[in-house]
Amino acid sequence: TCPRLSVMVTSFSISDDAAEMYLLFKTVYPDLILPSRKVQWEAAIKANADDIDAGDGAKFRAAVPGTSWVNADMRWVAAMRYSYEILGTQRYLDDYNGGMNLVAGSLLPDGAYLYDGMQNDVYTYHGAIIESLGRVWQITGDIRAKNMIVGSYWYYPMSAEPNGTPEYSSGAA
């Protein structure tokens, strides 16, 4: 079942959730993971990480600015770090480090992230990026994640009306 599961999990919107949950569970309550479930869960996490590596690993490692779909890539990058923490596969850490460089290179001076070519992201996509960066920073302590969050500081004041309504007209999405 792992190949079918990996296709479903690799969807960027949930790609990091299973690995993050398992990593947190394994860290806090390792004695509660049944050996039979450990094998299944880790096989699914490996299949998911292998799919991400096959699809975007080379792009992450090359880290060419302007090539990232940041709101999706940040979820895949986070999944690679969590998968590395769980399985210890060096290739996953290489993808993570390259992906973090790619995402950092996609941060614009006004705090937005690239979305489509050189076009900035929109409010909800920006929030998804920051959420993923925050979780990576919280779980791994990677200072790059914190620096990217801090670097996006001006995005929100420039992207919301005084009443709090998000401004979407300047985003490609």
Side-chain angles (χ1 to χ4, degrees), residues 18-163:
E20 178 185 2
M21 177 281 309
Y22 183 75
L23 176 60
L24 294 172
F25 198 75
K26 182 178 175 182
T27 302
V28 178
Y29 300 111
D31 54 323
L32 296 180
I33 300 173
L34 297 173
S36 61
R37 292 294 183 200
K38 179 180 191 259
V39 169
Q40 290 176 333
W41 289 345
E42 290 185 7
I45 290 164
K46 180 184 183 315
N48 184 56
D50 288 346
D51 282 351
I52 295 168
D53 176 61
D56 288 289
K59 177 180 79 173
F60 294 157
R61 291 184 303 277
V64 176
T67 63
S68 182
W69 180 26
V70 181
N71 62 304
D73 285 344
M74 191 55 228
R75 299 291 297 260
W76 287 320
V77 168
M80 297 310 281
R81 177 58 187 257
Y82 305 148
S83 299
Y84 166 75
E85 295 294 334
I86 294 163
L87 302 170
T89 304
Q90 183 62 43
R91 182 73 161 197
Y92 302 163
L93 184 60
D94 295 343
D95 286 353
Y96 166 79
N97 283 319
M100 288 295 281
N101 292 334
L102 178 61
V103 171
S106 301
L107 180 61
L108 299 170
D110 67 358
Y113 282 91
L114 296 175
Y115 176 72
D116 183 17
M118 294 305 290
Q119 175 66 46
N120 64 285
D121 57 350
V122 296
Y123 205 77
T124 50
Y125 294 163
H126 189 84
I129 297 163
I130 298 304
E131 177 187 1
S132 292
L133 285 167
R135 298 297 291 158
V136 165
W137 178 32
Q138 181 181 34
I139 292 170
T140 69
D142 188 337
I143 195 69
R144 294 175 297 179
K146 175 189 176 190
N147 291 342
M148 284 185 261
I149 294 169
V150 171
S152 73
Y153 175 81
W154 285 109
Y155 180 82
Y156 288 106
M158 293 184 353
S159 299
E161 301 294 331
N163 68 358

Side-chain angles (χ1 to χ4, degrees), residues 5-32:
L5 180 62
S6 72
V7 169
M8 295 185 308
V9 174
T10 305
S11 166
F12 80 87
S13 61
I14 60 169
S15 61
D16 59 338
D17 291 341
E20 178 185 2
M21 177 281 309
Y22 183 75
L23 176 60
L24 294 172
F25 198 75
K26 182 178 175 182
T27 302
V28 178
Y29 300 111
D31 54 323
L32 296 180

